[in-house]
PDB file of all heavy atoms in Angstrom:
ATOM      1  N   ASP A 139     -33.210 -10.347  -7.083  1.00 94.00           N
ATOM      2  CA  ASP A 139     -32.941 -11.776  -7.266  1.00 94.00           C
ATOM      3  C   ASP A 139     -31.548 -12.187  -6.805  1.00 94.00           C
ATOM      4  O   ASP A 139     -31.197 -13.367  -6.843  1.00 94.00           O
ATOM      5  CB  ASP A 139     -33.157 -12.187  -8.724  1.00 94.00           C
ATOM      6  CG  ASP A 139     -32.257 -11.417  -9.689  1.00 94.00           C
ATOM      7  OD1 ASP A 139     -31.482 -10.556  -9.224  1.00 94.00           O
ATOM      8  OD2 ASP A 139     -32.332 -11.677 -10.905  1.00 94.00           O
ATOM      9  N   LYS A 140     -30.713 -11.216  -6.376  1.00 94.00           N
ATOM     10  CA  LYS A 140     -29.396 -11.552  -5.853  1.00 94.00           C
ATOM     11  C   LYS A 140     -28.921 -10.459  -4.915  1.00 94.00           C
ATOM     12  O   LYS A 140     -29.435  -9.335  -4.921  1.00 94.00           O
ATOM     13  CB  LYS A 140     -28.384 -11.758  -6.989  1.00 94.00           C
ATOM     14  CG  LYS A 140     -28.059 -10.505  -7.808  1.00 94.00           C
ATOM     15  CD  LYS A 140     -27.142 -10.854  -8.959  1.00 94.00           C
ATOM     16  CE  LYS A 140     -26.794  -9.626  -9.806  1.00 94.00           C
ATOM     17  NZ  LYS A 140     -25.837  -8.723  -9.128  1.00 94.00           N
ATOM     18  N   LEU A 141     -27.954 -10.791  -4.071  1.00 96.00           N
ATOM     19  CA  LEU A 141     -27.353  -9.801  -3.188  1.00 96.00           C
ATOM     20  C   LEU A 141     -26.484  -8.850  -4.008  1.00 96.00           C
ATOM     21  O   LEU A 141     -26.003  -9.206  -5.091  1.00 96.00           O
ATOM     22  CB  LEU A 141     -26.499 -10.490  -2.118  1.00 96.00           C
ATOM     23  CG  LEU A 141     -27.214 -11.496  -1.211  1.00 96.00           C
ATOM     24  CD1 LEU A 141     -26.238 -12.089  -0.206  1.00 96.00           C
ATOM     25  CD2 LEU A 141     -28.390 -10.856  -0.497  1.00 96.00           C
ATOM     26  N   LEU A 142     -26.267  -7.655  -3.464  1.00 94.00           N
ATOM     27  CA  LEU A 142     -25.457  -6.644  -4.151  1.00 94.00           C
ATOM     28  C   LEU A 142     -25.833  -6.554  -5.626  1.00 94.00           C
ATOM     29  O   LEU A 142     -25.019  -6.817  -6.517  1.00 94.00           O
ATOM     30  CB  LEU A 142     -23.966  -6.955  -4.007  1.00 94.00           C
ATOM     31  CG  LEU A 142     -23.405  -6.900  -2.584  1.00 94.00           C
ATOM     32  CD1 LEU A 142     -21.999  -7.478  -2.535  1.00 94.00           C
ATOM     33  CD2 LEU A 142     -23.393  -5.473  -2.075  1.00 94.00           C
ATOM     34  N   PRO A 143     -27.087  -6.199  -5.925  1.00 87.00           N
ATOM     35  CA  PRO A 143     -27.580  -6.229  -7.313  1.00 87.00           C
ATOM     36  C   PRO A 143     -26.789  -5.355  -8.277  1.00 87.00           C
ATOM     37  O   PRO A 143     -26.810  -5.608  -9.485  1.00 87.00           O
ATOM     38  CB  PRO A 143     -29.037  -5.744  -7.180  1.00 87.00           C
ATOM     39  CG  PRO A 143     -29.127  -5.095  -5.837  1.00 87.00           C
ATOM     40  CD  PRO A 143     -28.116  -5.758  -4.973  1.00 87.00           C
ATOM     41  N   ALA A 144     -26.077  -4.348  -7.758  1.00 87.00           N
ATOM     42  CA  ALA A 144     -25.335  -3.456  -8.652  1.00 87.00           C
ATOM     43  C   ALA A 144     -23.990  -4.045  -9.076  1.00 87.00           C
ATOM     44  O   ALA A 144     -23.339  -3.511  -9.982  1.00 87.00           O
ATOM     45  CB  ALA A 144     -25.107  -2.098  -7.978  1.00 87.00           C
ATOM     46  N   LEU A 145     -23.563  -5.121  -8.432  1.00 89.00           N
ATOM     47  CA  LEU A 145     -22.253  -5.698  -8.714  1.00 89.00           C
ATOM     48  C   LEU A 145     -22.375  -6.946  -9.597  1.00 89.00           C
ATOM     49  O   LEU A 145     -23.457  -7.529  -9.728  1.00 89.00           O
ATOM     50  CB  LEU A 145     -21.552  -6.052  -7.407  1.00 89.00           C
ATOM     51  CG  LEU A 145     -21.216  -4.870  -6.480  1.00 89.00           C
ATOM     52  CD1 LEU A 145     -20.442  -5.359  -5.274  1.00 89.00           C
ATOM     53  CD2 LEU A 145     -20.425  -3.805  -7.215  1.00 89.00           C
ATOM     54  N   PRO A 146     -21.271  -7.377 -10.204  1.00 93.00           N
ATOM     55  CA  PRO A 146     -21.309  -8.567 -11.069  1.00 93.00           C
ATOM     56  C   PRO A 146     -21.756  -9.809 -10.299  1.00 93.00           C
ATOM     57  O   PRO A 146     -21.500  -9.931  -9.098  1.00 93.00           O
ATOM     58  CB  PRO A 146     -19.846  -8.708 -11.526  1.00 93.00           C
ATOM     59  CG  PRO A 146     -19.264  -7.346 -11.390  1.00 93.00           C
ATOM     60  CD  PRO A 146     -19.945  -6.719 -10.221  1.00 93.00           C
ATOM     61  N   PRO A 147     -22.419 -10.746 -10.972  1.00 92.00           N
ATOM     62  CA  PRO A 147     -22.916 -11.959 -10.315  1.00 92.00           C
ATOM     63  C   PRO A 147     -21.834 -12.746  -9.586  1.00 92.00           C
ATOM     64  O   PRO A 147     -22.102 -13.368  -8.547  1.00 92.00           O
ATOM     65  CB  PRO A 147     -23.498 -12.773 -11.485  1.00 92.00           C
ATOM     66  CG  PRO A 147     -23.859 -11.751 -12.516  1.00 92.00           C
ATOM     67  CD  PRO A 147     -22.831 -10.669 -12.393  1.00 92.00           C
ATOM     68  N   ARG A 148     -20.607 -12.744 -10.092  1.00 94.00           N
ATOM     69  CA  ARG A 148     -19.528 -13.498  -9.452  1.00 94.00           C
ATOM     70  C   ARG A 148     -19.274 -13.004  -8.040  1.00 94.00           C
ATOM     71  O   ARG A 148     -19.114 -13.790  -7.098  1.00 94.00           O
ATOM     72  CB  ARG A 148     -18.243 -13.376 -10.284  1.00 94.00           C
ATOM     73  CG  ARG A 148     -17.055 -14.151  -9.710  1.00 94.00           C
ATOM     74  CD  ARG A 148     -15.835 -13.978 -10.596  1.00 94.00           C
ATOM     75  NE  ARG A 148     -15.405 -12.592 -10.628  1.00 94.00           N
ATOM     76  CZ  ARG A 148     -14.596 -12.050  -9.705  1.00 94.00           C
ATOM     77  NH1 ARG A 148     -14.159 -12.776  -8.694  1.00 94.00           N
ATOM     78  NH2 ARG A 148     -14.236 -10.781  -9.809  1.00 94.00           N
ATOM     79  N   LEU A 149     -19.259 -11.671  -7.858  1.00 93.00           N
ATOM     80  CA  LEU A 149     -19.041 -11.102  -6.530  1.00 93.00           C
ATOM     81  C   LEU A 149     -20.237 -11.370  -5.624  1.00 93.00           C
ATOM     82  O   LEU A 149     -20.073 -11.652  -4.436  1.00 93.00           O
ATOM     83  CB  LEU A 149     -18.782  -9.598  -6.640  1.00 93.00           C
ATOM     84  CG  LEU A 149     -17.491  -9.189  -7.342  1.00 93.00           C
ATOM     85  CD1 LEU A 149     -17.385  -7.669  -7.406  1.00 93.00           C
ATOM     86  CD2 LEU A 149     -16.280  -9.758  -6.608  1.00 93.00           C
ATOM     87  N   SER A 150     -21.424 -11.273  -6.185  1.00 94.00           N
ATOM     88  CA  SER A 150     -22.629 -11.557  -5.415  1.00 94.00           C
ATOM     89  C   SER A 150     -22.607 -12.994  -4.892  1.00 94.00           C
ATOM     90  O   SER A 150     -22.961 -13.259  -3.739  1.00 94.00           O
ATOM     91  CB  SER A 150     -23.863 -11.328  -6.283  1.00 94.00           C
ATOM     92  OG  SER A 150     -25.037 -11.654  -5.580  1.00 94.00           O
ATOM     93  N   LYS A 151     -22.157 -13.929  -5.738  1.00 94.00           N
ATOM     94  CA  LYS A 151     -22.100 -15.336  -5.339  1.00 94.00           C
ATOM     95  C   LYS A 151     -21.058 -15.541  -4.237  1.00 94.00           C
ATOM     96  O   LYS A 151     -21.283 -16.323  -3.291  1.00 94.00           O
ATOM     97  CB  LYS A 151     -21.744 -16.183  -6.560  1.00 94.00           C
ATOM     98  CG  LYS A 151     -21.660 -17.682  -6.286  1.00 94.00           C
ATOM     99  CD  LYS A 151     -23.009 -18.262  -5.881  1.00 94.00           C
ATOM    100  CE  LYS A 151     -23.028 -19.785  -5.905  1.00 94.00           C
ATOM    101  NZ  LYS A 151     -22.000 -20.430  -5.079  1.00 94.00           N
ATOM    102  N   LEU A 152     -19.937 -14.858  -4.293  1.00 95.00           N
ATOM    103  CA  LEU A 152     -18.905 -14.974  -3.259  1.00 95.00           C
ATOM    104  C   LEU A 152     -19.441 -14.511  -1.907  1.00 95.00           C
ATOM    105  O   LEU A 152     -19.207 -15.144  -0.881  1.00 95.00           O
ATOM    106  CB  LEU A 152     -17.669 -14.167  -3.650  1.00 95.00           C
ATOM    107  CG  LEU A 152     -16.804 -14.713  -4.784  1.00 95.00           C
ATOM    108  CD1 LEU A 152     -15.716 -13.717  -5.172  1.00 95.00           C
ATOM    109  CD2 LEU A 152     -16.181 -16.056  -4.393  1.00 95.00           C
ATOM    110  N   ILE A 153     -20.186 -13.389  -1.923  1.00 95.00           N
ATOM    111  CA  ILE A 153     -20.773 -12.871  -0.682  1.00 95.00           C
ATOM    112  C   ILE A 153     -21.816 -13.843  -0.144  1.00 95.00           C
ATOM    113  O   ILE A 153     -21.872 -14.120   1.061  1.00 95.00           O
ATOM    114  CB  ILE A 153     -21.408 -11.488  -0.930  1.00 95.00           C
ATOM    115  CG1 ILE A 153     -20.337 -10.460  -1.299  1.00 95.00           C
ATOM    116  CG2 ILE A 153     -22.183 -11.023   0.307  1.00 95.00           C
ATOM    117  CD1 ILE A 153     -19.333 -10.178  -0.213  1.00 95.00           C
ATOM    118  N   LEU A 154     -22.638 -14.359  -1.032  1.00 95.00           N
ATOM    119  CA  LEU A 154     -23.671 -15.318  -0.634  1.00 95.00           C
ATOM    120  C   LEU A 154     -23.043 -16.544   0.033  1.00 95.00           C
ATOM    121  O   LEU A 154     -23.493 -16.992   1.094  1.00 95.00           O
ATOM    122  CB  LEU A 154     -24.494 -15.736  -1.855  1.00 95.00           C
ATOM    123  CG  LEU A 154     -25.565 -16.807  -1.620  1.00 95.00           C
ATOM    124  CD1 LEU A 154     -26.663 -16.278  -0.710  1.00 95.00           C
ATOM    125  CD2 LEU A 154     -26.157 -17.265  -2.949  1.00 95.00           C
ATOM    126  N   ASP A 155     -21.982 -17.068  -0.573  1.00 96.00           N
ATOM    127  CA  ASP A 155     -21.312 -18.251  -0.028  1.00 96.00           C
ATOM    128  C   ASP A 155     -20.727 -17.964   1.355  1.00 96.00           C
ATOM    129  O   ASP A 155     -20.816 -18.808   2.264  1.00 96.00           O
ATOM    130  CB  ASP A 155     -20.197 -18.717  -0.969  1.00 96.00           C
ATOM    131  CG  ASP A 155     -20.738 -19.280  -2.278  1.00 96.00           C
ATOM    132  OD1 ASP A 155     -21.946 -19.576  -2.323  1.00 96.00           O
ATOM    133  OD2 ASP A 155     -19.960 -19.393  -3.244  1.00 96.00           O
ATOM    134  N   GLU A 156     -20.154 -16.781   1.534  1.00 96.00           N
ATOM    135  CA  GLU A 156     -19.541 -16.440   2.818  1.00 96.00           C
ATOM    136  C   GLU A 156     -20.604 -16.284   3.904  1.00 96.00           C
ATOM    137  O   GLU A 156     -20.428 -16.745   5.033  1.00 96.00           O
ATOM    138  CB  GLU A 156     -18.722 -15.156   2.686  1.00 96.00           C
ATOM    139  CG  GLU A 156     -18.041 -14.691   3.960  1.00 96.00           C
ATOM    140  CD  GLU A 156     -17.025 -15.683   4.504  1.00 96.00           C
ATOM    141  OE1 GLU A 156     -16.571 -16.558   3.737  1.00 96.00           O
ATOM    142  OE2 GLU A 156     -16.684 -15.572   5.708  1.00 96.00           O
ATOM    143  N   LEU A 157     -21.724 -15.631   3.576  1.00 97.00           N
ATOM    144  CA  LEU A 157     -22.793 -15.464   4.553  1.00 97.00           C
ATOM    145  C   LEU A 157     -23.405 -16.815   4.929  1.00 97.00           C
ATOM    146  O   LEU A 157     -23.734 -17.055   6.098  1.00 97.00           O
ATOM    147  CB  LEU A 157     -23.869 -14.520   4.009  1.00 97.00           C
ATOM    148  CG  LEU A 157     -23.486 -13.046   3.903  1.00 97.00           C
ATOM    149  CD1 LEU A 157     -24.606 -12.251   3.243  1.00 97.00           C
ATOM    150  CD2 LEU A 157     -23.150 -12.463   5.262  1.00 97.00           C
ATOM    151  N   GLU A 158     -23.557 -17.684   3.961  1.00 95.00           N
ATOM    152  CA  GLU A 158     -24.094 -19.013   4.257  1.00 95.00           C
ATOM    153  C   GLU A 158     -23.115 -19.811   5.116  1.00 95.00           C
ATOM    154  O   GLU A 158     -23.521 -20.615   5.955  1.00 95.00           O
ATOM    155  CB  GLU A 158     -24.421 -19.749   2.955  1.00 95.00           C
ATOM    156  CG  GLU A 158     -25.650 -19.177   2.256  1.00 95.00           C
ATOM    157  CD  GLU A 158     -26.014 -19.925   0.981  1.00 95.00           C
ATOM    158  OE1 GLU A 158     -25.113 -20.614   0.426  1.00 95.00           O
ATOM    159  OE2 GLU A 158     -27.170 -19.811   0.541  1.00 95.00           O
ATOM    160  N   ARG A 159     -21.826 -19.576   4.926  1.00 95.00           N
ATOM    161  CA  ARG A 159     -20.822 -20.217   5.785  1.00 95.00           C
ATOM    162  C   ARG A 159     -20.992 -19.755   7.229  1.00 95.00           C
ATOM    163  O   ARG A 159     -20.761 -20.530   8.168  1.00 95.00           O
ATOM    164  CB  ARG A 159     -19.415 -19.891   5.280  1.00 95.00           C
ATOM    165  CG  ARG A 159     -18.297 -20.623   6.035  1.00 95.00           C
ATOM    166  CD  ARG A 159     -16.931 -20.132   5.607  1.00 95.00           C
ATOM    167  NE  ARG A 159     -16.689 -18.783   6.078  1.00 95.00           N
ATOM    168  CZ  ARG A 159     -16.310 -18.481   7.330  1.00 95.00           C
ATOM    169  NH1 ARG A 159     -16.165 -19.435   8.225  1.00 95.00           N
ATOM    170  NH2 ARG A 159     -16.089 -17.223   7.668  1.00 95.00           N
ATOM    171  N   LEU A 160     -21.405 -18.508   7.406  1.00 93.00           N
ATOM    172  CA  LEU A 160     -21.658 -17.969   8.746  1.00 93.00           C
ATOM    173  C   LEU A 160     -23.042 -18.357   9.271  1.00 93.00           C
ATOM    174  O   LEU A 160     -23.451 -17.881  10.332  1.00 93.00           O
ATOM    175  CB  LEU A 160     -21.534 -16.437   8.721  1.00 93.00           C
ATOM    176  CG  LEU A 160     -20.166 -15.862   8.372  1.00 93.00           C
ATOM    177  CD1 LEU A 160     -20.232 -14.336   8.292  1.00 93.00           C
ATOM    178  CD2 LEU A 160     -19.114 -16.291   9.385  1.00 93.00           C
ATOM    179  N   GLU A 161     -23.748 -19.175   8.508  1.00 94.00           N
ATOM    180  CA  GLU A 161     -25.086 -19.662   8.870  1.00 94.00           C
ATOM    181  C   GLU A 161     -26.124 -18.544   8.909  1.00 94.00           C
ATOM    182  O   GLU A 161     -27.062 -18.567   9.705  1.00 94.00           O
ATOM    183  CB  GLU A 161     -25.053 -20.415  10.209  1.00 94.00           C
ATOM    184  CG  GLU A 161     -24.168 -21.655  10.169  1.00 94.00           C
ATOM    185  CD  GLU A 161     -24.189 -22.436  11.471  1.00 94.00           C
ATOM    186  OE1 GLU A 161     -24.588 -21.869  12.510  1.00 94.00           O
ATOM    187  OE2 GLU A 161     -23.805 -23.620  11.450  1.00 94.00           O
ATOM    188  N   VAL A 162     -25.934 -17.557   8.038  1.00 96.00           N
ATOM    189  CA  VAL A 162     -26.947 -16.520   7.851  1.00 96.00           C
ATOM    190  C   VAL A 162     -27.965 -17.047   6.841  1.00 96.00           C
ATOM    191  O   VAL A 162     -27.593 -17.513   5.760  1.00 96.00           O
ATOM    192  CB  VAL A 162     -26.317 -15.206   7.331  1.00 96.00           C
ATOM    193  CG1 VAL A 162     -27.409 -14.178   7.028  1.00 96.00           C
ATOM    194  CG2 VAL A 162     -25.321 -14.655   8.329  1.00 96.00           C
ATOM    195  N   LYS A 163     -29.234 -16.983   7.197  1.00 97.00           N
ATOM    196  CA  LYS A 163     -30.280 -17.434   6.284  1.00 97.00           C
ATOM    197  C   LYS A 163     -30.584 -16.314   5.289  1.00 97.00           C
ATOM    198  O   LYS A 163     -30.821 -15.172   5.689  1.00 97.00           O
ATOM    199  CB  LYS A 163     -31.538 -17.824   7.050  1.00 97.00           C
ATOM    200  CG  LYS A 163     -32.566 -18.541   6.184  1.00 97.00           C
ATOM    201  CD  LYS A 163     -33.653 -19.188   7.032  1.00 97.00           C
ATOM    202  CE  LYS A 163     -34.586 -20.018   6.158  1.00 97.00           C
ATOM    203  NZ  LYS A 163     -35.643 -20.682   6.965  1.00 97.00           N
ATOM    204  N   ILE A 164     -30.563 -16.629   4.014  1.00 97.00           N
ATOM    205  CA  ILE A 164     -30.720 -15.629   2.961  1.00 97.00           C
ATOM    206  C   ILE A 164     -32.045 -15.827   2.236  1.00 97.00           C
ATOM    207  O   ILE A 164     -32.386 -16.937   1.822  1.00 97.00           O
ATOM    208  CB  ILE A 164     -29.577 -15.724   1.931  1.00 97.00           C
ATOM    209  CG1 ILE A 164     -28.209 -15.751   2.617  1.00 97.00           C
ATOM    210  CG2 ILE A 164     -29.674 -14.570   0.932  1.00 97.00           C
ATOM    211  CD1 ILE A 164     -27.828 -14.488   3.300  1.00 97.00           C
ATOM    212  N   TYR A 165     -32.802 -14.725   2.101  1.00 97.00           N
ATOM    213  CA  TYR A 165     -33.999 -14.718   1.265  1.00 97.00           C
ATOM    214  C   TYR A 165     -33.781 -13.708   0.145  1.00 97.00           C
ATOM    215  O   TYR A 165     -33.539 -12.523   0.412  1.00 97.00           O
ATOM    216  CB  TYR A 165     -35.233 -14.303   2.063  1.00 97.00           C
ATOM    217  CG  TYR A 165     -35.751 -15.322   3.041  1.00 97.00           C
ATOM    218  CD1 TYR A 165     -35.278 -15.361   4.351  1.00 97.00           C
ATOM    219  CD2 TYR A 165     -36.723 -16.247   2.669  1.00 97.00           C
ATOM    220  CE1 TYR A 165     -35.756 -16.291   5.266  1.00 97.00           C
ATOM    221  CE2 TYR A 165     -37.222 -17.184   3.573  1.00 97.00           C
ATOM    222  CZ  TYR A 165     -36.726 -17.198   4.868  1.00 97.00           C
ATOM    223  OH  TYR A 165     -37.201 -18.121   5.763  1.00 97.00           O
ATOM    224  N   THR A 166     -33.836 -14.151  -1.102  1.00 96.00           N
ATOM    225  CA  THR A 166     -33.808 -13.228  -2.236  1.00 96.00           C
ATOM    226  C   THR A 166     -35.159 -13.309  -2.946  1.00 96.00           C
ATOM    227  O   THR A 166     -35.923 -14.259  -2.766  1.00 96.00           O
ATOM    228  CB  THR A 166     -32.668 -13.569  -3.221  1.00 96.00           C
ATOM    229  OG1 THR A 166     -32.792 -14.936  -3.622  1.00 96.00           O
ATOM    230  CG2 THR A 166     -31.306 -13.358  -2.568  1.00 96.00           C
ATOM    231  N   SER A 167     -35.440 -12.282  -3.753  1.00 96.00           N
ATOM    232  CA  SER A 167     -36.739 -12.172  -4.448  1.00 96.00           C
ATOM    233  C   SER A 167     -37.892 -12.218  -3.460  1.00 96.00           C
ATOM    234  O   SER A 167     -38.969 -12.755  -3.766  1.00 96.00           O
ATOM    235  CB  SER A 167     -36.886 -13.284  -5.498  1.00 96.00           C
ATOM    236  OG  SER A 167     -35.849 -13.228  -6.445  1.00 96.00           O
ATOM    237  N   GLU A 168     -37.681 -11.672  -2.275  1.00 96.00           N
ATOM    238  CA  GLU A 168     -38.721 -11.613  -1.245  1.00 96.00           C
ATOM    239  C   GLU A 168     -38.876 -10.165  -0.796  1.00 96.00           C
ATOM    240  O   GLU A 168     -37.957  -9.581  -0.221  1.00 96.00           O
ATOM    241  CB  GLU A 168     -38.344 -12.481  -0.031  1.00 96.00           C
ATOM    242  CG  GLU A 168     -38.370 -13.971  -0.275  1.00 96.00           C
ATOM    243  CD  GLU A 168     -39.760 -14.574  -0.108  1.00 96.00           C
ATOM    244  OE1 GLU A 168     -40.744 -13.809  -0.052  1.00 96.00           O
ATOM    245  OE2 GLU A 168     -39.849 -15.811  -0.017  1.00 96.00           O
ATOM    246  N   ARG A 169     -40.020  -9.577  -1.098  1.00 96.00           N
ATOM    247  CA  ARG A 169     -40.283  -8.189  -0.743  1.00 96.00           C
ATOM    248  C   ARG A 169     -41.169  -8.142   0.500  1.00 96.00           C
ATOM    249  O   ARG A 169     -42.259  -8.702   0.526  1.00 96.00           O
ATOM    250  CB  ARG A 169     -40.965  -7.459  -1.901  1.00 96.00           C
ATOM    251  CG  ARG A 169     -41.126  -5.954  -1.684  1.00 96.00           C
ATOM    252  CD  ARG A 169     -41.771  -5.313  -2.892  1.00 96.00           C
ATOM    253  NE  ARG A 169     -40.953  -5.465  -4.077  1.00 96.00           N
ATOM    254  CZ  ARG A 169     -39.942  -4.660  -4.393  1.00 96.00           C
ATOM    255  NH1 ARG A 169     -39.637  -3.644  -3.597  1.00 96.00           N
ATOM    256  NH2 ARG A 169     -39.242  -4.864  -5.492  1.00 96.00           N
TER     257      ARG A 169
END
């Protein structure tokens, strides 16, 4: 349900925001 599942949600959110800034499309909870 989030990137870097082993790390705290705050860090996961920072990574998500940076990737979205780079216009990377993110799919979570998708197997």
Side-chain angles (χ1 to χ4, degrees):
D139 59 359
K140 66 184 180 74
L141 301 180
L142 296 169
L145 296 184
R148 181 180 64 85
L149 294 179
S150 177
K151 180 65 167 56
L152 288 173
I153 295 296
L154 176 66
D155 291 344
E156 180 62 19
L157 289 175
E158 288 182 339
R159 185 187 70 80
L160 297 176
E161 298 183 342
V162 175
K163 191 167 186 179
I164 310 292
Y165 287 89
T166 55
S167 301
E168 290 275 13
R169 187 178 298 276

